[in-house]
Amino acid sequence: MTVLVTGASGLLGAALVRSFAADAGVEVLAAVRSPARAEAMFEALSNVRIVQWDVMRPAELDGYGVDYIVQAAAETGSRAFVERPVEVIRTTVDGVVNVLDLARARKV
């Protein structure tokens, strides 16, 4: 089974990646904007693969099978909510649309 976790380097996403990776029968695709940070976070987990994907863009995950998707990508900085509220909401909404498009295309 393969689980794709978006926002994998965030607080909730990273916890989910570690939880799923605890099961040796699960392969985790950790979708992040910054692979270097994620590689350092998950280097000890052999069943985690880092994939670079900003959910604000349509997914380009050719070559990866996906059975389940957990959407955890979000803008979480308090300052961003105050200074750029429209962009924060667009990130959430547009990001979910791109994740749902991937799920529909892959029949996940």
Side-chain angles (χ1 to χ4, degrees):
M1 172 175 60
T2 301
V3 178
L4 169 67
V5 178
T6 66
S9 60
L11 179 68
L12 294 177
L16 288 165
V17 167
R18 289 184 186 99
S19 294
F20 287 125
D23 183 337
V26 175
E27 180 178 10
V28 182
L29 297 177
V32 297
R33 286 182 300 189
S34 173
R37 178 177 176 208
E39 288 168 4
M41 292 174 77
F42 306 123
E43 66 184 339
L45 303 173
S46 62
N47 56 338
V48 174
R49 288 208 258 162
I50 309 299
V51 292
Q52 186 170 7
W53 178 31
D54 180 348
V55 296
M56 288 299 294
R57 298 182 184 4
E60 294 178 7
L61 297 176
D62 295 335
Y64 296 102
V66 177
D67 298 303
Y68 297 94
I69 301 172
V70 178
Q71 160 57 353
E75 178 94 39
T76 58
S78 309
R79 180 174 286 161
F81 287 110
V82 174
E83 295 176 356
R84 301 178 294 108
V86 173
E87 291 84 357
V88 169
I89 291 170
R90 284 193 58 116
T91 298
T92 301
V93 173
D94 294 347
V96 168
V97 167
N98 286 329
V99 170
L100 290 172
D101 285 345
L102 173 66
R104 181 177 43 210
R106 300 285 183 98
K107 296 181 171 65
V108 174

